[in-house]
């Protein structure tokens, strides 16, 4: 009995000493590094440092954006264009040299969009970062030969054809989950899901590298009331959201984050879709509905809609041109920290 009492006393005393000296350490101006591990290559949030000697504009505490909301109602900062320095943010992440996976599906006639997506991605998407484009397709011979930058590759994943576009959409969750388990987990630190019928119009940089990121739907980001969001409203579906719940409406055209966080989210959408299928119901907007359910449940994503804008320039020949344009990114950060993606025209 005395042995266990003295042992407990020793442990308590040691803990008290650690807390005491830790307080002194912080008081003297030192910082405690974060222990949030970024996937598998060993770096941590605390490793987000910038090399000395970098030249950049001095930040201001007085001047900034006043035309947009800068914080969510759960106290997450909204980081818009103009609130970060691309020179600084790129320098920080280039030092870490993360591996970025981009997952796109080009099934059937959608292979026609590959060339525009890849060429514009090479011009604007995370330039000078390591990027692998994972192209899921049923027509490998239609994947174009594109000149890629240093450290950038294409990996083709063959999948079955689909009869309906809804099957392609739902299949994205299934095949991405399977391929992360079999391949991508060993090759990437971050993962993005993107629509192939899109082109990059301007910079899409390291400000998007975050624990989780998503984009507010361009049609519902500004003045739409929550009861008007196109959430799944049927209680029979796993994606069901009542009319009096919800914060924002997210598009499934662009979303990304740490590999393992994205794996959890993609697998969630897949398993929830499978449960719906067992009950002979399909969510109104397929995985986008389940994505929004996840965001409402876990409060982890918030974003604005001008990153993914419809291509309205050629209304008489829309089938020949991309459905979306990716514009400059604007992001939201969470206190934990999580970055949430916003976009600005």
């Amino acid at each position: 009995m005395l042995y266990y009492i003295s042992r407990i006393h020793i442990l308590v005393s040691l803990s008290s000493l650690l807390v005491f000296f830790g307080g002194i350490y912080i008081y003297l101006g030192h910082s405690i590094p974060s222990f949030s591990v970024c996937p598998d290559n060993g770096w941590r949030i605390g490793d987000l440092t910038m090399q000395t000697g970098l030249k950049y504009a001095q930040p201001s505490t007085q001047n900034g954006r006043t035309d947009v909301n800068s914080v969510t109602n759960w106290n997450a900062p909204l980081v818009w264009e103009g609130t970060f320095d691309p020179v600084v943010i790129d320098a920080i992440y280039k030092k870490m040299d993360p591996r970025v996976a981009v997952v796109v599906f080009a099934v059937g006639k959608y292979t026609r969009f590959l060339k525009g997506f890849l060429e514009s991605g090479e011009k604007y998407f995370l330039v000078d970062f390591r990027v692998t484009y994972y192209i899921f397709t049923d027509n490998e011979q239609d994947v174009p030969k594109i000149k890629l930058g240093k450290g950038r590759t294409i990996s083709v994943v063959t999948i079955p054809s689909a009869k309906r576009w809804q099957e392609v959409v739902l299949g994205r969750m299934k095949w991405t989950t399977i391929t992360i388990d079999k391949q991508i987990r060993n090759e990437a630190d971050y993962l993005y899901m993107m629509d192939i019928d899109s082109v990059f119009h301007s910079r899409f940089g390291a400000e998007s590298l975050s624990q989780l990121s998503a984009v507010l739907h361009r049609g519902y980001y500004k003045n739409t009331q929550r009861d008007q969001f196109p959430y799944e409203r049927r209680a029979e579906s796993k994606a069901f959201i009542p009319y009096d719940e919800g914060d924002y409406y997210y598009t499934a055209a662009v979303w990304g984050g740490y590999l393992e966080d994205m794996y959890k989210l993609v697998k969630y959408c897949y398993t929830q879709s499978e449960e719906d299928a067992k009950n002979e119901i399909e969510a109104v907007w397929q995985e986008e509905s389940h994505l929004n359910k996840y965001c409402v449940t876990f409060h982890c994503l918030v974003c604005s809609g001008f990153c993914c804008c419809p291509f309205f320039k050629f209304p008489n020949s829309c089938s020949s041109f991309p459905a979306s344009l990716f514009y400059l990114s604007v992001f939201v950060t969470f206190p934990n920290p999580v970055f949430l993606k916003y976009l600005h025209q």
Side-chain angles (χ1 to χ4, degrees):
M1 181 66 178
L2 290 175
Y3 168 78
Y4 285 108
I5 292 175
S6 60
R7 185 179 179 184
I8 291 172
H9 284 172
I10 291 172
L11 290 174
V12 171
S13 300
L14 288 174
S15 299
S16 300
L17 286 172
L18 286 173
V19 171
F20 175 73
F21 286 114
I24 293 176
Y25 183 81
I26 295 172
Y27 177 77
L28 293 175
H30 300 285
S31 61
I32 303 297
S34 167
F35 292 95
S36 297
V37 177
C38 296
D40 299 324
N41 64 355
W43 45 260
R44 304 174 302 176
I45 292 297
D47 297 329
L48 293 176
T49 58
M50 183 172 60
Q51 73 266 28
T52 58
L54 184 70
K55 304 301 181 184
Y56 57 92
Q58 180 180 346
S60 171
T61 60
Q62 305 299 313
N63 300 319
R65 295 289 295 270
T66 59
D67 57 330
V68 291
N69 187 19
S70 61
V71 67
T72 67
N73 61 357
W74 58 90
N75 204 32
L78 311 184
V79 184
W80 298 81
E81 179 191 5
T83 64
F84 64 89
D85 187 330
V87 174
V88 173
I89 197 72
D90 279 358
I92 290 172
Y93 279 93
K94 283 179 181 177
K95 188 176 181 181
M96 296 168 62
D97 195 25
R99 302 165 298 172
V100 181
V102 177
V103 170
V104 293
F105 281 69
V107 177
K109 63 182 180 180
Y110 278 79
T111 54
R112 74 179 74 177
F113 297 113
L114 279 167
K115 188 174 186 293
F117 180 90
L118 293 169
E119 287 182 343
S120 63
E122 284 303 284
K123 188 175 181 180
Y124 294 117
F125 180 74
L126 288 170
V127 176
D128 295 329
F129 284 81
R130 288 190 289 169
V131 173
T132 300
Y133 300 98
Y134 291 88
I135 300 173
F136 291 68
T137 183
D138 57 345
N139 296 299
E140 183 174 354
Q141 68 277 8
D142 291 340
V143 177
K145 303 296 183 181
I146 301 294
K147 184 179 179 180
L148 302 174
K150 181 181 178 181
R152 299 166 80 93
T153 61
I154 290 175
S155 179
V156 178
V157 180
T158 301
I159 59 172
S161 300
K163 296 180 180 179
R164 301 185 306 142
W165 68 266
Q166 291 93 337
E167 293 176 4
V168 177
V169 170
L170 293 171
R172 291 205 308 177
M173 303 301 101
K174 172 184 176 181
W175 293 112
T176 302
T177 299
I178 292 172
T179 308
I180 289 174
D181 278 329
K182 292 176 61 177
Q183 178 182 354
I184 300 177
R185 178 173 278 115
N186 299 319
E187 301 173 354
D189 305 308
Y190 290 92
L191 183 143
Y192 285 92
M193 301 285 293
M194 294 186 177
D195 280 356
I196 192 58
D197 52 342
S198 309
V199 293
F200 294 90
H201 182 73
S202 142
R203 169 192 165 88
F204 197 120
E207 65 277 5
S208 65
L209 295 176
S210 57
Q211 186 170 347
L212 280 175
S213 62
V215 179
L216 290 183
H217 196 288
R218 56 182 166 77
Y220 307 99
Y221 85 100
K222 199 169 185 180
N223 296 315
T224 306
Q225 298 299 306
R226 59 163 57 124
D227 60 359
Q228 296 300 309
F229 288 151
Y231 291 147
E232 174 56 69
R233 301 300 188 180
R234 295 170 294 176
E236 298 82 6
S237 173
K238 291 292 185 179
F240 169 66
I241 299 174
Y243 283 96
D244 59 351
E245 294 183 16
D247 304 296
Y248 305 97
Y249 187 79
Y250 305 91
T251 176
V254 188
W255 39 308
Y258 292 172
L259 189 282
E260 291 303 328
D261 287 85
M262 278 296 290
Y263 176 72
K264 293 175 184 177
L265 177 50
V266 170
K267 190 171 183 179
Y268 170 90
C269 293
Y270 172 45
T271 56
Q272 297 300 86
S273 298
E274 290 290 289
E275 287 298 313
D276 273 358
K278 292 177 183 177
N279 296 321
E280 298 183 344
I281 191 170
E282 183 179 280
V284 60
W285 292 112
Q286 293 79 42
E287 97 274 32
E288 185 170 279
S289 297
H290 293 289
L291 169 65
N292 276 274
K293 176 67 173 184
Y294 187 94
C295 296
V296 170
T297 304
F298 296 102
H299 269 96
C300 60
L301 309 173
V302 185
C303 312
S304 134
F306 280 113
C307 169
C308 193
C309 296
F311 203 149
F312 286 137
K313 291 184 178 180
F314 304 95
N316 295 324
S317 55
C318 289
S319 62
S320 300
F321 294 92
S324 301
L325 296 173
F326 293 136
Y327 284 89
L328 284 174
S329 311
V330 191
F331 295 86
V332 186
T333 66
F334 269 77
N336 52 1
V338 177
F339 290 91
L340 299 184
K341 176 157 190 187
Y342 279 78
L343 295 152
H344 178 66
Q345 192 173 24

